[in-house]
Amino acid sequence: MPDPLSMSQDMLASPAHVIRGLSYQIAYSRDRVLQGDWTEKYARQRIAVCAAVAEENLRESHNCMAVSIYANLTTGCRALFTWTYVDRNGEKDSGSVHPTIDGR
């Protein structure tokens, strides 16, 4: 499976791509923990960095306002992801998902 950070240029296409890309990165990090490749601490740090980059991308590249992203892993390795933003047209988008790669 490719490292999702290598696909960061795709995140510039639209706000929806930013959200979808971050969701994939969270699921990828969770998968690495479940497979024993990463520690939960490392995955949480990586998710925090990815979420910060996504927030900045929404603000700077897509002129979104009121951007709020929460992304984390629980102790039991459940992925949590919520977001809200107002796009440049004034339309609000928000959502909440539990990203997974394999459906577990």
Side-chain angles (χ1 to χ4, degrees), residues 53-104:
V53 168
E55 279 191 8
E56 182 179 343
N57 189 320
L58 287 170
R59 285 189 186 101
E60 302 296 325
S61 298
H62 299 290
N63 300 322
C64 294
M65 300 175 292
V67 177
S68 176
I69 293 177
Y70 175 78
N72 204 351
L73 289 179
T74 66
T75 304
C77 209
R78 184 170 181 178
L80 307 172
F81 177 34
T82 61
W83 72 90
T84 184
Y85 64 86
V86 178
D87 69 13
R88 68 179 73 158
N89 298 323
E91 294 182 29
K92 182 178 180 179
D93 184 39
S94 62
S96 177
V97 295
H98 298 284
T100 62
I101 289 178
D102 58 3
R104 285 191 272 173

Side-chain angles (χ1 to χ4, degrees), residues 4-5 10 12 15 24-25 27-28 34 37 41 45-46 57 66-67 69 86 97 99:
L5 288 181
D10 293 338
L12 297 176
Y24 181 80
Q25 292 173 13
Y28 179 83
L34 291 175
D37 298 334
K41 180 180 178 182
Q45 290 171 341
R46 182 180 168 108
N57 189 320
V67 177
I69 293 177
V86 178
V97 295

